[in-house]
Amino acid sequence: MEIISESSATAVINASIESIDLTEWVFTLKSHEYQACSTGHIAAGSSISADGKRMSINVEQVAGNLLVQNYIEEIGKRDHCRLNSISDSFSDSGRTKLGVIWELKVEKLTPNSCQFTNLVKVLMTDEFSSMLRSAGITDLSPIKAGMSENVSLHNQEETPLFAKDIERKAHSGVWK
């Protein structure tokens, strides 16, 4: 699938890398904790996919689009988590599907700090492409530019707040 938007944001977590478990953080994130990390966050929960993989289900609003994301675990390490979703997107243009990859990493800076990276990629789906063609949109440049700006702004808001939540949990010792 073609990448139509990509955003990476970083923040420092003041905790040792050994005290962090990104994958457990994703799959145990409570709705109120998720909501506290962005004004666009509506709800979060977890489930199991039809093939038995862990899922993180997130509902958020980004620039007027309501997104229901069903992230399936692809990489599940303490320092690296990658999730893949075919997400439902609701906007004034109607309902469609977007591919979304959400990837989280931590890298050790010092014995008591890490660099946290939050990477989000939005991917073209056949359904979204078809919706654009039906609307007579053939030049994707404005779509990509607008989506990139909105995803980047959202990522810049949520990343430092995700890092603070991870830091708080690391200090509480939940992932020993």
Side-chain angles (χ1 to χ4, degrees):
M1 283 191 263
E2 175 187 357
I3 296 172
I4 52 178
S5 173
E6 184 171 349
S7 172
S8 181
T10 61
V12 172
I13 296 175
N14 292 303
S16 70
I17 197 165
E18 297 81 13
S19 67
I20 296 169
D21 191 326
L22 294 176
T23 300
E24 286 305 309
W25 175 77
V26 165
F27 291 109
T28 60
L29 189 62
K30 294 173 179 61
S31 210
H32 71 275
E33 294 167 335
Y34 180 71
Q35 291 167 356
C37 293
S38 171
T39 57
H41 289 177
I42 298 167
S46 61
S47 188
I48 303 293
S49 69
D51 61 354
K53 292 184 180 180
R54 292 191 286 185
M55 291 176 59
S56 174
I57 302 170
N58 300 339
V59 180
E60 64 184 341
Q61 191 158 22
V62 178
N65 289 344
L66 180 68
L67 298 166
V68 179
Q69 300 156 326
N70 297 285
Y71 288 111
I72 297 174
E73 180 178 13
E74 286 186 349
I75 296 174
K77 299 179 183 177
R78 290 180 68 94
D79 65 345
H80 183 196
C81 178
R82 184 170 60 220
L83 307 145
N84 195 333
S85 174
I86 299 299
S87 301
D88 292 294
S89 175
F90 302 86
S91 69
D92 292 340
S93 302
R95 178 181 180 174
T96 191
K97 300 227 181 252
L98 294 169
V100 183
I101 296 172
W102 184 24
E103 190 164 9
L104 307 170
K105 293 182 182 180
V106 285
E107 295 176 2
K108 183 177 182 173
L109 293 174
T110 70
N112 294 309
S113 68
C114 303
Q115 180 81 22
F116 171 65
T117 302
N118 182 16
L119 174 66
V120 178
K121 294 180 185 178
V122 180
L123 309 168
M124 180 70 73
T125 62
D126 290 341
E127 190 172 322
F128 185 52
S129 179
S130 181
M131 184 178 105
L132 293 173
R133 280 194 309 275
S134 294
I137 298 171
T138 55
D139 180 8
L140 295 182
S141 300
I143 300 291
K144 288 181 176 183
M147 192 176 288
S148 291
E149 180 180 351
N150 293 331
V151 171
S152 181
L153 288 170
H154 182 77
N155 200 3
Q156 294 298 326
E157 177 191 17
E158 72 184 0
T159 297
L161 298 172
F162 281 163
K164 286 295 175 196
D165 190 64
I166 294 165
E167 180 179 294
R168 179 181 59 78
K169 290 175 180 174
H171 286 298
S172 75
V174 296
W175 303 307
K176 290 190 179 206

